[in-house]
Amino acid sequence: MMYTRMAMQFLKKHKFALLLAFVLIVAVLLRFPFLSVFPPSMLQDEVGIGYAAISIAETGMDEWGEKFPLIFKSFGDFKAPGFIYVTAVLYKLIGWQEVLPRITSAIAGVFVVLFGTLWIKKIFKSDELALVAGLLLAANPWTIHLSRMALESNLGLAFFMAGLLFLSHAQNSYFKIILSAVFFSFSTYTFHSFRYAVILFLLATIFVTLILYFKEIKKKTLYLKSLIFIFVISTILSLPGFFAKGATGRLNQTLIITSDDYIKLSEHYENNCHGTFIEINPKLTILCKLKYNKFTRQALIGVESLVKHFSPDFLFISGDTEVLRNPTQSGQFYVFLLPFWMIGSLLLFKNIKEQYPILLGYFVALVPSTVSGNPHSTRLSILIPFVLVTLVLGYQFLKDYFRKVTYFSFTFLSILLVFLGLFVIRYSVDTFATHEITATYLSYAKRVAMLEGEYLKKGYTVFADHDLYPEPHMYYAYFNKIDPRITQESFAKIYEESAGFSRPKQFGESLFFEKGDFFALDCELNKIKPSVFFTNDALEKIEPITIIKDNTHLYSFVYVYEGSQKCLD
């Protein structure tokens, strides 16, 4: 009896910690198992991040030979450095792993759950609401998929969550003020959208606090001081990232109003407008200038994009339309949570003077994705904590409203588990079996890279189309564990693309990434040693020596031909 009583006292005393441990175990089980299988293959960005991390860990330089850069040129898409440096540390600890960068993201995903749970506990002062929030984060389709791919935004979200957590504790502690500022700053180095959104969120919160509490500022003195300190420290720490070489490169590539497609579309509409009205009355063409000048057109596109981002369709029904970011093509949150979100949103506006930091965070989080076009789940990942608060408010209201209903919490959790089970089945079995998705996820790229390595070891010259699939050179380097020093030398020979992306034309003496006439390319070299050619195109009248299919073994993607067949004729 004594031991039973002691056990019960222990459970009662540590109930929250034990339930939190359970939530974290759920998070781990949904993030770590079968990382190389679901999704079926690492994408080019994931492989690029992993290899850059290995290059930094081994040589202190990226593949371009830049020493400890603050912005990684990568394929010409200018990646933020945080995820790469954290993965470099992980590489030093555990060595080369096939899914090395995905492990970084999975770890970050567990910390998102931990920090989010503790943050909700602090701001709502409720163990139950904190644990509900933790389960929502652990079992959410959006956070699960973010954590199973090497997506920089997931690490940025973990740092941002930590910043919010320590901000909620910061009023009486300079140490926590510094921690909050440091974590906010770290998030700006992990993903480009965080770089702008974090600073804007802090600055907006300071100004709105001054406006709302101007006549009763004493109530918010400690809070304001904490905010200002955090803003100043995090801004100073973040500034090198803003002014680093290539820091604006990604912004120019993703900003919708500066894109080539946007400019061509605007010209198309304006020319069509002129062509229409000039036939009726040339004076009416002034309407074209009013509607399609660069300022009006930008405003119209911005409003259209903002409406899409505020629509519940993205959050609860269709989700991100890009299968890479949303393979199940369903809402970013489970659809049964829609009523909770609607009620929580009303409560946010009803109590705007208390909830204004959440509302500000919500609006600011939409900016990076809004200026880039359609809702984008990685750019919008900073929105997750603010949606979480909205859902928790809705849960709290409905539980109080139905307080006479027995087992409300149990019913809620049961429904959540049912939706989670359906998601897991669909995510792991259904979605990656379709041709479109397996092709998009490049499930065959690793096999191609390994086969290239095998032929090179046998003394062959290997030709591969430069557009065999995105960044084939990086798959080759990563999966064949090529010494980063060799890669750095190879990057001296560059193939430039019109969109600003770039890659090497050659690796070492015997691997070439070129698009062209197979036989014209290889016959001269073939007089010295045999060669093989990897291409997406089936050549006429020649039998491939190997056909590489996707992970379902039904669809052919890459054909391998031996050059000696033609050259010896």
Side-chain angles (χ1 to χ4, degrees), residues 200-219:
L200 184 58
F201 166 67
L202 292 172
L203 186 61
T205 306
I206 291 171
F207 275 106
V208 173
T209 302
L210 287 170
I211 293 169
L212 289 178
Y213 288 90
F214 181 76
K215 294 182 179 179
E216 42 188 345
I217 198 67
K218 289 183 179 180
K219 292 183 179 179

Side-chain angles (χ1 to χ4, degrees), residues 260-279:
D260 292 338
D261 289 342
Y262 163 77
I263 294 170
K264 288 180 181 178
L265 185 63
S266 295
E267 291 176 355
H268 169 75
Y269 278 118
E270 186 173 356
N271 292 340
N272 183 67
C273 180
H274 275 276
T276 300
F277 283 119
I278 203 166
E279 296 292 330

Side-chain angles (χ1 to χ4, degrees), residues 343-356 359 393 397:
I343 292 169
S345 298
L346 291 173
L347 292 173
L348 278 179
F349 283 100
K350 183 180 179 181
N351 301 305
I352 193 168
K353 197 166 183 179
E354 296 177 10
Q355 302 291 353
Y356 69 93
L359 279 170
L393 282 170
F397 176 86

Side-chain angles (χ1 to χ4, degrees), residues 170-181:
Q171 295 187 41
N172 298 311
S173 171
Y174 284 108
F175 176 68
K176 290 173 182 175
I177 286 173
I178 293 171
L179 279 179
S180 178

Side-chain angles (χ1 to χ4, degrees), residues 15-162:
K15 179 181 178 181
F16 177 77
L18 292 171
L19 289 174
L20 176 58
F22 171 77
V23 169
L24 295 178
I25 290 170
V26 172
V28 168
L29 292 175
L30 290 169
R31 284 155 179 77
F32 282 92
F34 308 110
L35 274 176
S36 63
V37 180
F38 309 116
S41 176
M42 288 207 297
L43 297 176
Q44 65 271 20
D45 284 320
E46 298 178 276
V47 174
I49 287 169
Y51 194 76
I54 293 170
S55 183
I56 284 289
E58 293 287 349
T59 69
M61 295 184 288
D62 69 356
E63 60 267 34
W64 294 88
E66 290 286 333
K67 193 169 185 179
F68 295 111
L70 280 177
I71 297 292
F72 283 77
K73 184 176 180 181
S74 192
F75 314 131
D77 56 349
F78 305 101
K79 290 179 171 58
F83 197 103
I84 294 173
Y85 283 115
V86 171
T87 305
V89 173
L90 184 65
Y91 170 78
K92 284 291 189 181
L93 294 174
I94 65 175
W96 188 92
Q97 305 291 328
E98 181 178 329
V99 289
L100 175 68
R102 285 188 176 181
I103 296 172
T104 301
S105 191
I107 294 170
V110 175
F111 276 103
V112 165
V113 176
L114 174 62
F115 294 144
T117 304
L118 296 177
W119 178 57
I120 294 295
K121 177 179 168 64
K122 174 63 178 177
I123 62 177
F124 283 94
K125 296 178 174 57
S126 166
D127 288 355
E128 179 186 348
L129 294 180
L131 292 167
V132 168
L135 276 175
L136 287 175
L137 286 172
N140 179 273
W142 196 354
T143 53
I144 291 172
H145 187 60
L146 283 176
S147 300
R148 295 192 66 85
M149 293 185 69
L151 296 171
E152 302 139 294
S153 63
N154 200 42
L155 181 62
L157 178 61
F159 285 141
F160 184 69
M161 283 284 203

Side-chain angles (χ1 to χ4, degrees), residues 1-11:
M1 289 293 294
M2 182 180 70
Y3 291 111
T4 302
R5 187 167 59 253
M6 290 175 63
M8 293 300 294
Q9 289 175 347
F10 177 84
L11 291 173

Side-chain angles (χ1 to χ4, degrees), residues 364-439:
V364 168
L366 297 176
V367 172
S369 182
T370 299
V371 299
S372 302
N374 292 324
H376 190 294
S377 60
T378 54
R379 292 176 193 145
L380 277 171
S381 58
I382 195 172
L383 180 66
I384 290 173
F386 305 111
V387 175
L388 181 68
V389 171
T390 309
L391 294 173
V392 169
L393 282 170
Y395 174 89
Q396 185 182 43
F397 176 86
L398 287 173
K399 186 180 180 183
D400 290 342
Y401 186 81
F402 294 108
R403 56 184 175 274
K404 294 182 180 180
V405 176
T406 309
Y407 303 125
F408 176 86
S409 299
F410 177 79
T411 303
F412 176 85
L413 294 177
S414 298
I415 296 172
L416 177 62
L417 289 175
V418 169
F419 273 85
L420 173 62
L422 293 172
F423 169 75
V424 169
I425 292 171
R426 192 173 175 198
Y427 187 86
S428 59
V429 178
D430 297 340
T431 54
F432 299 116
T434 67
H435 173 226
E436 178 191 3
I437 295 182
T438 54

